Amino acid sequence: EIVMTQSPATLSVSPGERATLSCRASQSVRSNLVWYQQKPGQAPRVLIYGASTRATGIPARFSGSGSGTEFTLIISSLQSEDFAVYYCQQYNDWPRTFGQGTKVEIK
Amino acid sequence: QVQLQESGPGLVKPSETLSLTCTVSGGSISNSYWNWIRQTAGKGLEWMGRIYSSGSANYNGSVKSRLTLSVDPSKNQFSLKLTSVTAADTAVYYCARDARIGSYFWFDPWGQGILVTVSS
């Protein structure tokens, strides 16, 4: 199966600063990548699909890029509601697999 | 909009069968793929399998020998049965729909999740 590796595990950022999250696939997943946000006690919520397309209602401060094996999620100016755990997930091959998550915490 | 709700026992004994149901409201279960995903502190998010409204299913090899998915269109529900459970199956179980635009897929919406603990 395709292993998704996210880094860093934890990112400490001050409100208003930029956050850069990375996701690496063990083999090419083309652009078949999704980013989710999860807050405590809630289910994950889709942010980005197709590696770079924002889902409906997602603010422009979230952007995704990459293809193949290297992907990046950028939050341009962190708001208080953005402190959460972020997961990448590939759907290029079966089984669909998730990264282990990056926790974005308040610095 | 479509909403999902998981239901089932929160406690299952080791070696027994874990059974969960996901009820779809606000839309039809027809013509979509429906997934089960679980989340543990140790392994994170794990996709378990999906079932189409017609009944055809795909399974993750990690649980394939123990997992059965089924769908009941008349009740707008789909279900999971996981046999021979151990403590490693303790998790929050989510149901989720395959959302799709063209060749792009993602899971949306998700149910709120149900915590299932395997313990005697």
Side-chain angles (χ1 to χ4, degrees):
Chain A
E1 72 178 43
I2 297 176
V3 177
M4 308 300 292
T5 302
Q6 292 185 242
S7 61
T10 303
L11 188 60
S12 298
V13 186
S14 299
E17 289 188 340
R18 174 184 173 110
T20 302
L21 290 67
S22 296
C23 174
R24 174 176 294 178
S26 60
Q27 64 191 74
S28 176
V29 299
R30 298 185 290 176
S31 294
N32 296 324
L33 186 104
V34 185
W35 287 97
Y36 298 90
Q37 176 193 68
Q38 186 178 33
K39 296 180 179 178
Q42 298 182 16
R45 173 178 78 134
V46 61
L47 298 174
I48 303 283
Y49 61 86
S52 61
T53 302
R54 274 190 305 277
T56 301
I58 301 303
R61 64 181 181 271
F62 291 92
S63 63
S65 63
S67 66
T69 62
E70 301 284 343
F71 300 89
T72 301
L73 175 70
I74 292 176
I75 312 171
S76 59
S77 177
L78 271 157
Q79 306 298 303
S80 57
E81 62 267 30
D82 300 336
F83 292 96
V85 181
Y86 294 83
Y87 295 95
C88 60
Q89 175 244 320
Q90 66 82 22
Y91 57 90
N92 191 69
D93 199 5
W94 299 99
R96 294 171 175 179
T97 49
F98 293 84
Q100 80 279 18
T102 290
K103 181 180 181 180
V104 177
E105 64 176 25
I106 301 175
K107 187 174 182 180
Chain B
Q1 71 278 20
V2 173
Q3 292 183 307
L4 307 181
Q5 177 70 60
E6 305 89 350
S7 59
L11 180 64
V12 181
K13 290 182 169 54
S15 80
E16 296 190 343
T17 296
L18 185 164
S19 297
L20 297 174
T21 295
C22 184
T23 300
V24 179
S25 60
S28 173
I29 202 169
S30 299
N31 303 317
S32 289
Y33 279 99
W34 305 93
N35 299 266
W36 288 98
I37 298 158
R38 65 182 179 180
Q39 185 170 29
T40 62
K43 292 186 68 177
L45 288 161
E46 180 184 29
W47 174 81
M48 300 180 72
R50 72 171 189 176
I51 188 164
Y52 193 63
S53 48
S54 65
S56 63
N58 304 103
Y59 296 98
N60 190 326
S62 66
V63 292
K64 186 175 182 178
S65 63
R66 300 191 293 130
L67 180 65
T68 301
L69 302 183
S70 59
V71 61
D72 187 343
S74 68
K75 295 182 179 179
N76 240 28
Q77 293 177 334
F78 60 104
S79 299
L80 166 157
K81 289 189 188 297
L82 186 66
T83 62
S84 305
V85 297
T86 69
D89 295 308
T90 293
V92 175
Y93 286 77
Y94 293 101
C95 55
R97 184 184 64 178
D98 260 9
R100 175 184 179 181
I101 293 179
S103 62
Y104 299 134
F105 290 86
W106 62 96
F107 299 124
D108 183 69
W110 296 59
Q112 65 183 28
I114 183 169
L115 173 62
V116 178
T117 302
V118 178
S119 175
S120 54

